[in-house]
């Protein structure tokens, strides 16, 4: 099938892609029973089973995983000697973070200023729409074997699929794995994500008194737990904003695409007059170096607070770990650093949370070369190589379970999408172009695989 024919088919399928996304966004598929009814995730899974079956896949089925989420699998068989491609997606979404923060209904796909808004529109249901559109454009004329794997708890990080993959390898074994939970550097700029930072979270608790005490009677000599915590947290960054944890290297460089500071300011909604942090380039700070973020602090709120010296305070910390650094070593270093930084012999304790290793994807091979060519052809411009500050622990599970597979990250989630935030959206042009990319890849990969490049 010619490139022109594929483009025309994808273009003609865009109204159906919009309808697909409308239906998917309507499912409140948050894998957290305290926030959304579990039936919403079940409805999403049932929709996927029907949609991928209609798109030509066989044996599309849901599987219960260890954390109670459901994985969706299926296959489309090509010639016996053809290579196999695994298409990954996740079908759960982030919580809305407050309906009043949205400019349109959270669970209703809304078109506004050329973009489609709604929770999951980009992350990751926009990528599901891309898979379906590419498969429909090919119309069953697929020279490769295709498998799908859909994850139901990626946003909660509870590891359902991480447990499922090693126990069911034949359902997912492939020569190339396309992890479609990433995106381009910007709209219209095709990009492959080759690195992911890992994660090392801790909750630190500081205790200094048997109970909160009146600040007028005891303030000045009584050790304030909240002040102690603030002192400790302040040691985690230097005056330039670099993450400074004793024992962790914060000087790594980045040799991929440059992230212009002004573009980053716009993408990150940095307020006028506020500086970016760190002494390295933006690319180095967000993709190549460790980054410590304070996710939350337990302390009295301003409204309702009283004149009291605090007896106890705690904070949840998120450490992003770059490639080349061991996540467990990084977590240990964070705990040791905070312990040493505690003033006044305050009592400090820790709850260790998630540890996920950084990941480096394929940067060469038949699959990689085919995908780069497909991107270049679809977009008509050179392909950029970027990193991603976020973590996808499943990528390391794929690499360990299928060591010979090429693993690439791609998708529709460019910076304007505001994934995980209110007013998440997707550019329809990205769904269209990435559908063309995927269709071209599935069309061309087998021939190049057989001839070895």
């Amino acid at each position: 099938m010619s490139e022109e024919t594929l483009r025309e088919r994808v273009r003609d399928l865009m109204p159906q892609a919009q309808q697909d996304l409308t239906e998917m966004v309507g499912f409140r598929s948050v894998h957290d029973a305290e926030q959304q009814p579990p039936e919403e995730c079940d409805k999403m899974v049932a929709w996927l089973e029907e949609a991928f079956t209609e798109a030509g896949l066989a044996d599309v089925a849901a599987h219960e995983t260890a954390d109670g989420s459901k994985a969706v699998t299926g296959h489309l068989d090509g010639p016996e000697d053809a290579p196999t491609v695994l298409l990954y997606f996740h079908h759960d979404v982030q919580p809305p973070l407050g309906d009043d923060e949205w400019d349109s209904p959270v669970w209703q796909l809304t078109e506004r200023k050329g973009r489609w808004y709604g929770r999951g529109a980009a992350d990751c249901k926009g990528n599901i729409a891309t898979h379906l559109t590419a498969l429909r454009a090919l119309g069953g004329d697929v020279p490769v074997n295709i498998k799908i794997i859909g994850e139901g708890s990626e946003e909660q990080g509870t590891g359902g699929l991480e447990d499922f993959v090693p126990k069911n390898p034949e359902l997912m074994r492939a020569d190339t794995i396309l992890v479609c939970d990433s995106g381009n550097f910007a709209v219209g700029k095709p990009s492959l994500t080759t690195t992911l930072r890992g994660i090392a979270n801790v909750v630190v608790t500081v205790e200094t008194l048997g109970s909160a005490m009146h600040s007028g009677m005891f303030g000045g000599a009584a050790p304030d737990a909240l002040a102690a915590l603030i002192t400790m947290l302040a040691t985690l960054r230097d005056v330039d904003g670099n993450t400074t944890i004793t024992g962790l290297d914060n000087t790594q460089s980045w040799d991929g695409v440059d992230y212009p500071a002004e573009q980053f300011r716009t993408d990150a909604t940095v307020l006028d007059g506020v500086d970016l942090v760190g002494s390295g380039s933006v690319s180095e700070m967000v993709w190549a170096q460790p980054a410590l973020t304070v996710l939350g602090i337990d302390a009295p709120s301003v409204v309702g607070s009283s004149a009291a010296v605090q007896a106890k305070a705690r904070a949840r910390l998120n450490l992003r770990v770059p490639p080349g650094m061991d996540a467990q070593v990084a977590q240990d270093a964070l705990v040791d650093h905070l312990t040493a930084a505690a003033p006044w012999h305050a009592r400090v304790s820790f709850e260790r949370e998630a540890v996920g290793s950084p990941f480096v994807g394929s940067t060469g091979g038949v699959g990689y070369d085919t995908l780069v060519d497909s991107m270049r052809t679809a977009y008509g411009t050179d392909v950029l190589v970027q990193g991603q500050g976020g973590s996808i622990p499943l990528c390391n599970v794929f690499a360990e379970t299928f060591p010979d597979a090429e693993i690439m990250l791609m998708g529709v989630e460019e910076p304007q999408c505001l994934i995980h935030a209110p007013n998440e959206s997707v550019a329809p042009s990205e769904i269209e172009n990435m559908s063309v990319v995927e269709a071209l890849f599935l069309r061309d990969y087998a021939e190049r695989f057989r001839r070895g490049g």
Side-chain angles (χ1 to χ4, degrees):
M1 189 180 302
S2 70
E3 173 197 342
E4 182 178 353
T5 298
L6 277 177
R7 285 185 183 276
E8 290 177 354
R9 287 192 174 188
V10 168
R11 191 176 303 116
D12 291 343
L13 285 164
M14 283 305 293
Q16 186 170 0
Q18 184 177 11
Q19 181 59 34
D20 288 341
L21 200 51
T22 297
E23 295 177 14
M24 285 191 283
V25 167
F27 299 121
R28 307 182 181 202
S29 54
V30 178
H31 180 63
D32 184 341
E34 294 183 359
Q35 300 193 54
Q36 297 295 337
E39 295 79 20
E40 291 293 310
C41 292
D42 292 338
K43 291 176 183 177
M44 180 69 215
V45 168
W47 188 93
L48 290 168
E49 290 179 284
E50 182 177 349
F52 277 99
T53 298
E54 179 272 333
L57 273 69
D59 301 323
V60 182
H63 308 265
E64 192 88 13
T65 70
D67 66 357
S69 65
K70 291 182 179 177
V72 177
T73 64
H75 63 91
L76 176 59
D77 295 337
E80 289 187 6
D81 63 341
T84 299
V85 177
L86 177 65
L87 304 176
Y88 165 87
F89 57 88
H90 67 82
H91 49 86
D92 66 311
V93 297
Q94 281 281 330
L97 304 179
D99 291 16
D100 57 346
E101 297 293 325
W102 289 69
D103 296 330
S104 54
V106 177
W107 308 107
Q108 178 180 315
L109 194 71
T110 304
E111 186 167 2
R112 189 167 70 250
K113 296 182 179 180
R115 296 182 69 91
W116 295 341
Y117 288 79
R119 176 56 88 215
D123 182 21
C124 180
K125 293 174 180 178
N127 291 310
I128 299 173
T130 296
H131 289 322
L132 290 169
T133 302
L135 291 169
R136 288 166 179 154
L138 290 166
D141 182 17
V142 183
V144 296
N145 299 298
I146 295 174
K147 295 179 181 179
I148 62 167
I149 179 63
E151 184 173 12
S153 58
E154 193 274 342
E155 298 293 10
Q156 298 300 318
T158 49
L161 202 59
E162 294 162 48
D163 175 78
F164 181 80
V165 170
K167 294 177 179 177
N168 301 273
E170 292 310 314
L171 289 174
M172 290 155 283
R173 191 177 305 281
D175 299 286
T176 287
I177 301 173
L178 300 184
V179 178
C180 294
D181 188 20
S182 181
N184 291 332
F185 183 68
V187 173
K189 293 187 176 182
S191 312
L192 276 175
T193 298
T194 58
T195 66
L196 299 171
R197 287 192 295 199
I199 189 173
N201 282 7
V202 301
V203 175
V204 55
T205 300
V206 181
E207 297 175 279
T208 56
L209 301 169
S211 68
M213 304 302 293
H214 191 284
S215 62
M217 296 178 64
F218 298 96
D224 184 333
L226 182 55
L229 177 62
I230 292 170
T231 298
M232 294 161 62
L233 297 181
T235 68
L236 296 172
R237 286 184 182 268
D238 64 18
V239 66
D240 293 320
N242 299 294
T243 293
T244 51
I245 298 172
T246 304
L248 295 189
D249 182 15
N250 65 353
T251 63
Q252 296 94 327
S253 61
W254 174 258
D255 59 4
V257 63
D258 177 57
Y259 202 151
E262 286 307 309
Q263 181 180 339
F264 181 82
R265 293 184 67 89
T266 299
D267 293 343
T269 68
V270 179
L271 299 179
D272 291 343
V274 178
D275 295 336
L276 301 184
V277 298
S279 54
S281 68
V282 170
S283 298
E284 289 168 341
M285 299 305 297
V286 300
W287 297 332
Q289 296 180 9
L292 190 287
T293 302
V294 180
L295 299 182
I297 295 179
D298 283 345
S301 62
V302 172
V303 177
S305 58
S306 63
V309 179
Q310 297 303 311
K312 179 179 179 179
R314 68 176 188 160
R316 185 167 182 245
L317 308 180
N318 168 240
L319 177 60
R320 297 290 177 167
V321 181
M325 186 176 292
D326 185 283
Q328 186 60 64
V329 170
Q331 188 184 60
D332 292 343
L334 176 57
V335 168
D336 291 344
H337 178 106
L338 290 169
T339 301
W344 320 318
H345 295 101
R347 295 181 183 178
V348 181
S349 58
F350 297 90
E351 177 186 347
R352 294 174 181 257
E353 294 190 327
V355 172
S357 298
F359 174 76
V360 178
S362 301
T363 56
V366 178
Y368 178 88
D369 293 342
T370 305
L371 187 56
V372 168
D373 286 347
S374 299
M375 283 186 158
R376 186 183 297 116
T377 298
Y379 281 88
T381 187
D382 288 339
V383 178
L384 304 175
V385 174
Q386 65 177 354
Q388 188 179 103
S391 304
I392 306 178
L394 181 63
C395 287
N396 290 298
V397 176
F398 279 147
E400 293 165 3
T401 308
F402 311 114
D404 296 327
E406 293 183 59
I407 304 174
M408 280 89 73
L409 293 96
M410 54 183 273
V412 301
E413 301 166 27
E414 41 77 30
Q416 291 184 57
C417 292
L418 297 181
I419 64 171
H420 294 204
N423 295 307
E424 179 181 351
S425 68
V426 68
S429 61
E430 289 296 278
I431 292 179
E432 181 172 345
N433 285 327
M434 289 307 297
S435 297
V436 174
V437 168
E438 189 170 307
L440 288 171
F441 175 84
L442 295 174
R443 183 197 69 176
D444 296 341
Y445 176 48
E447 181 180 351
R448 297 182 68 161
F449 182 88
R450 290 190 183 96
R451 67 171 189 254

